[in-house]
Amino acid sequence: MEFSSMMSILISGFGMTLQIFVITLVGALPLGVVVALCRMSKFKPLALLARFYISVLRGTPLMLQLMFWMFGPYYLFGAQLGADWKFMACSIGFILNYSAYFGEIYRSGIQSIPRGQYEAAAVLGYTNTQTFFRIILPQVIKRILPAMGNEIIALVKDTSLAFVLGIMEMFTEAKALAAKLVSVVPYVMAALLYWCFTLCVEFCLNKLEKKLDYYHD
């Protein structure tokens, strides 16, 4: 098989990899805020539920979680789900898993903001919601960006776990090509594509970090 043909197949799989990546971020970033706020809630049952949620999702393998969402509905309820459920299960698994990690990062950022800023906002007449979204959250994003960047880069590589559900993302395509050609070349090509994607993500994160660096000289 020619190099161009292999690259074409891998790029086709990369399209699915990119979909998983984007859907996970779109779902997990806002859900992480909700998880963090629940974790910090003064309503004890809600805070304990959030802690349990985080503990389970961070304490069990993502691969196992993906398989649970894929096969759980059938084994637990006998639900007969269509072919579209495969991608849906993958999306749910990734979003929930990463929301737990993002939630803890958000929480650490929120708790690092001095209490005086809340009090100053109250004196100026801001509501709690206005204070959080207009004053606290922008500062939190700036402080947690390096930690969030590490998780986002990890997500680039974790998308390969979708292969356990038979989703034809880039790693699955590389695996099939390597078996067909009895060659390691497809794996090397896939590794280079993952690396290039990671470099692009790092570049974007670095640009964003510099843009938010209000205190640079």
Side-chain angles (χ1 to χ4, degrees):
M1 182 178 290
E2 295 181 357
F3 176 84
S4 58
S5 298
M6 285 193 290
M7 184 59 72
S8 177
I9 292 171
L10 290 176
I11 289 176
S12 174
F14 176 74
M16 181 59 71
T17 294
L18 189 58
Q19 282 188 55
I20 296 170
F21 177 81
V22 172
I23 287 173
T24 301
L25 288 185
V26 169
L29 285 173
L31 183 56
V33 176
V34 176
V35 172
L37 294 177
C38 290
R39 173 75 171 78
M40 298 166 60
S41 174
K42 294 179 180 179
F43 183 55
K44 203 67 174 177
L46 182 60
L48 289 174
L49 181 62
R51 290 182 66 177
F52 177 75
Y53 173 90
I54 293 168
S55 178
V56 170
L57 290 169
R58 294 201 308 170
T60 56
L62 175 55
M63 185 183 295
L64 187 152
Q65 294 170 32
L66 293 173
M67 295 181 73
F68 171 82
W69 288 110
M70 179 66 185
F71 302 110
Y74 175 75
Y75 290 131
L76 294 175
F77 310 109
Q80 298 286 346
L81 300 171
D84 292 340
W85 176 247
K86 185 187 296 186
F87 186 76
M88 184 66 70
C90 178
S91 300
I92 292 171
F94 270 94
I95 289 171
L96 293 182
N97 180 269
Y98 270 83
S99 70
Y101 286 94
F102 289 160
E104 283 295 84
I105 294 173
Y106 281 129
R107 182 176 68 86
S108 66
I110 292 170
Q111 291 180 334
S112 72
I113 303 298
R115 188 66 198 172
Q117 296 204 24
Y118 293 89
E119 296 169 354
V123 170
L124 293 172
Y126 284 88
T127 65
N128 289 337
T129 302
Q130 289 173 328
T131 299
F132 180 74
F133 285 102
R134 294 185 182 181
I135 299 175
I136 303 303
L137 191 57
Q139 296 181 74
V140 168
I141 291 173
K142 178 181 181 297
R143 294 187 180 204
I144 67 175
L145 194 57
M148 292 292 280
N150 288 335
E151 290 299 328
I152 291 171
I153 289 171
L155 173 59
V156 173
K157 296 171 285 186
D158 280 351
T159 56
S160 62
L161 293 176
F163 89 94
V164 299
L165 303 185
I167 293 176
M168 298 306 290
E169 45 71 57
M170 187 162 60
F171 176 75
T172 310
E173 295 284 13
K175 188 169 177 288
L177 282 172
K180 180 180 179 181
L181 302 175
V182 194
S183 171
V184 76
V185 172
Y187 287 131
V188 174
M189 293 169 65
L192 290 173
L193 288 172
Y194 278 118
W195 183 38
C196 290
F197 185 27
T198 301
L199 290 176
C200 290
V201 172
E202 285 180 352
F203 175 79
C204 293
L205 290 170
N206 288 336
K207 293 288 285 186
L208 182 58
E209 193 169 347
K210 288 179 181 178
K211 188 175 181 180
L212 294 175
D213 187 8
Y214 307 116
Y215 304 105
H216 65 281
D217 294 330

